[in-house]
């Protein structure tokens, strides 16, 4: 839920309105100012002239879905769905495959869903979650991330980190001798998108005969997800970036509306364009929410004001005028009659009306619960199976 807001000249953004990104001619120009803005220069980074060897190759990490194939993403989804069925409906034990193992949960930012999901998932697998907040360790403050990665990874069996700059999670992974999981960075929030996809599979797949039964595990998500059309109405933030890195690979159409000045990262736009071209998937952009909503199966939004942006609240609320998701907006924009709503939470009143948020169209609490099962799947894949295959 962190914006990577780029406020450059409008000349960079002119091609942004209403185009389908699987046409190479629609690529954004990458200017020197854009490239400069993407160079990270915090004190937590290691100087390039320090000769320190990275960790040995072959250690699996989960940083962004841009690193994974469609098959690997589907594997995580099917694993998550199976875990949910095993635990909630069969009351099945995990067999404690992580007994005697520790996952360091290093969060530099507050968290509710991610922390609860992670700690309960590790406990189910028989391991020990070790929560390390910003007041507990020197994550890039009085100790470099390189040093932290080498020290912490020598004592634990996995690291799940919630950081600021995405380069921070990349540095941890580069020097860690154990798997690193991205719990959130300024650029990506991949575990959230897994939960979104799992929820969509449950919504659009075969339905159980009663609330006490579950059938999502009986159908592969590759049968339910391709062809869906998702409308994003909001900030060009890490949630949108993760959608863009994921949905085109799976054949999920994505329509995006952001206010001017809050567009997504151009590097991710280029990547998504390439993936959309491979799967013949639509990836459309507009500054008008009603354009994005047209023919949408699902409407998704997120917070307009992320942690660290509180001083920008008044300006952001002004800039996002007209972006509140309401039934009237969906009707005027031409969403499908049975459209659904998702939000990664926490939600604020200005983002979506109560009429939508608490309606039968809204699956936000099912989506929140699925954070546990998808995070469980990621931990299982990296720390138990040692692979996404």
């Amino acid at each position: 839920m962190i914006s990577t807001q780029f406020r450059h000249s409008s000349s960079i953004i002119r091609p942004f309105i209403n185009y389908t990104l699987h046409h190479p001619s629609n690529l954004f120009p990458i200017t020197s100012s854009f490239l400069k803005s993407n160079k990270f220069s915090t004190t937590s980074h290691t100087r390039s002239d320090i000769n320190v060897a990275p960790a040995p190759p072959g250690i699996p990490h989960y940083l962004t879905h841009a690193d994974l194939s469609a098959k690997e993403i589907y594997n995580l989804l099917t694993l998550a769905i199976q875990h949910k069925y095993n635990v909630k409906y069969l009351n099945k034990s995990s067999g404690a495959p992580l007994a005697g193992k520790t996952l360091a949960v290093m969060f530099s930012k507050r968290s509710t869903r991610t922390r609860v999901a992670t700690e309960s998932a590790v406990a189910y697998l028989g391991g020990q979650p070790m929560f390390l907040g910003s007041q507990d360790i020197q994550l890039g403050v009085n100790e470099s991330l390189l040093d932290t990665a080498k020290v912490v990874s020598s004592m634990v069996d996995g690291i799940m980190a919630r950081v600021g700059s995405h380069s921070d999670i990349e540095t941890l992974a580069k020097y860690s001798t154990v798997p690193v999981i991205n719990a959130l960075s300024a650029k990506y929030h991949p575990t959230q998108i897994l939960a979104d996809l799992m929820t969509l599979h449950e919504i659009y797949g075969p339905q159980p005969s009663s609330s006490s039964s579950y059938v999502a595990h009986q159908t592969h998500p590759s049968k339910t997800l391709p062809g869906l059309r998702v409308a994003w109405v909001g900030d060009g933030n890490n949630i949108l970036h993760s959608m863009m890195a994921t949905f085109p690979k799976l054949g999920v159409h994505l329509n995006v509306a952001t206010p001017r000045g809050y567009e997504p990262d151009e590097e991710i736009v280029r990547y998504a364009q390439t993936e959309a071209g491979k799967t013949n998937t639509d990836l459309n952009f507009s500054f008008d929410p009603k354009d994005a909503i047209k023919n949408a199966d699902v409407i998704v939004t997120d917070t307009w004001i992320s942690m660290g942006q509180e001083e920008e609240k008044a300006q952001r609320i002004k800039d996002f005028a007209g972006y509140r998701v309401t039934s009237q907006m969906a009707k005027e924009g031409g969403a499908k009659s049975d459209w659904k709503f998702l939000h990664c939470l926490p939600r604020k009143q200005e983002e979506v009306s109560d009429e939508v948020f608490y309606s039968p169209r809204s699956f936000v609490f099912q989506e929140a619960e699925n954070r546990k099962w998808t995070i469980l799947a990621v931990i299982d894949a990296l720390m138990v199976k040692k692979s996404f295959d």
Side-chain angles (χ1 to χ4, degrees):
M1 303 182 292
I2 297 176
S3 172
T4 52
Q5 177 181 346
F6 294 93
R7 295 186 176 278
H8 300 311
S9 165
S10 61
S11 65
I12 302 176
I13 307 302
R14 273 197 291 267
F16 195 80
I17 304 177
N18 295 333
Y19 63 95
T20 301
L21 283 176
H22 53 242
H23 296 295
S25 61
N26 287 327
L27 289 179
F28 288 152
I30 302 301
T31 67
S32 59
S33 62
F34 170 79
L35 295 173
K36 182 178 180 181
S37 71
N38 279 276
K39 292 181 180 179
F40 303 99
S41 58
T42 67
T43 56
S44 63
H45 299 155
T46 305
R47 285 168 43 194
S48 60
D49 59 345
I50 296 178
N51 186 20
V52 179
I59 300 168
H61 301 297
Y62 180 76
L63 308 185
T64 167
H65 291 157
D67 297 335
L68 303 184
S69 66
K71 180 177 183 296
E72 290 171 326
I73 295 169
Y74 277 132
N75 287 346
L76 288 173
L77 287 172
T78 56
L79 184 58
I81 293 163
Q82 189 64 49
H83 274 306
K84 184 174 184 176
Y85 178 63
N86 289 348
V87 178
K88 289 194 69 175
Y89 298 90
L90 299 182
N91 196 28
K92 186 176 181 180
S93 168
S94 70
L98 290 185
K101 305 291 186 180
T102 301
L103 176 70
V105 184
M106 299 164 52
F107 282 15
S108 64
K109 295 179 179 293
R110 298 186 304 274
S111 169
T112 299
R113 284 149 294 279
T114 308
R115 179 175 178 180
V116 174
T118 300
E119 294 198 17
S120 59
V122 175
Y124 172 70
L125 294 172
Q128 175 65 48
M130 179 188 293
F131 183 77
L132 301 169
S134 59
Q135 302 302 312
D136 300 315
I137 59 173
Q138 304 182 82
L139 186 59
V141 180
N142 293 323
E143 183 173 62
S144 72
L145 283 170
L146 185 158
D147 295 357
T148 299
K150 294 181 75 67
V151 170
V152 174
S153 68
S154 72
M155 302 180 189
V156 301
D157 304 281
I159 296 173
M160 186 159 190
R162 191 176 179 95
V163 300
S165 169
H166 188 69
S167 62
D168 290 352
I169 199 77
E170 291 176 325
T171 299
L172 287 174
K174 180 176 180 179
Y175 295 101
S176 171
T177 55
V178 297
V180 171
I181 299 169
N182 180 7
L184 176 145
S185 71
K187 194 172 186 178
Y188 294 113
H189 196 359
T191 60
Q192 178 63 54
I193 302 311
L194 275 185
D196 292 357
L197 289 169
M198 179 175 173
T199 306
L200 293 179
H201 170 70
E202 292 173 335
I203 294 170
Y204 289 99
Q207 297 302 297
S209 57
S210 70
S211 59
S212 61
S213 60
Y214 190 71
V215 297
H217 63 294
Q218 297 175 1
T219 305
H220 196 275
S222 64
K223 304 298 183 182
T224 60
L225 297 178
L228 291 177
R229 185 171 296 276
V230 175
W232 172 265
V233 178
D235 193 8
N237 62 13
N238 55 358
I239 301 292
L240 175 57
H241 289 164
S242 289
M243 286 182 173
M244 292 169 62
T246 309
F247 286 7
K249 289 184 180 184
L250 306 185
V252 177
H253 304 301
L254 181 60
N255 296 345
V256 176
T258 66
R260 296 178 188 275
Y262 294 88
E263 298 87 354
D265 185 319
E266 294 185 15
E267 178 186 9
I268 300 170
V269 168
R270 292 205 314 266
Y271 175 82
Q273 180 268 336
T274 300
E275 294 302 315
K278 295 176 182 177
T279 58
N280 196 30
T281 300
D282 293 342
L283 186 58
N284 303 315
F285 288 78
S286 174
F287 295 124
D288 186 344
K290 293 176 185 177
D291 287 343
I293 287 171
K294 186 174 179 59
N295 294 322
D297 296 290
V298 186
I299 300 174
V300 189
T301 192
D302 184 23
T303 184
W304 301 343
I305 304 152
S306 297
M307 288 179 285
Q309 297 174 339
E310 290 78 10
E311 293 183 358
E312 303 174 25
K313 181 176 180 178
Q315 183 62 49
R316 281 177 166 266
I317 289 177
K318 179 180 178 181
D319 292 343
F320 280 82
Y323 274 75
R324 189 180 196 226
V325 177
T326 65
S327 295
Q328 186 66 24
M329 172 192 282
K331 181 179 179 180
E332 292 178 359
K336 291 185 178 177
S337 60
D338 61 345
W339 64 273
K340 308 299 189 293
F341 177 76
L342 295 180
H343 189 302
C344 74
L345 307 181
R347 165 256 186 172
K348 300 179 184 66
Q349 281 279 344
E350 62 264 21
E351 299 151 6
V352 55
S353 67
D354 284 347
E355 176 195 13
V356 170
F357 189 79
Y358 293 110
S359 75
R361 297 182 183 279
S362 176
F363 289 79
V364 296
F365 298 114
Q366 182 175 330
E367 175 189 14
E369 179 199 341
N370 285 341
R371 294 296 308 283
K372 173 175 179 174
W373 310 117
T374 48
I375 286 175
L376 173 56
V378 172
I379 294 170
D380 189 5
L382 291 184
M383 295 182 65
V384 179
K385 296 176 172 59
K386 312 290 187 183
S387 171
F388 293 111
D389 294 332

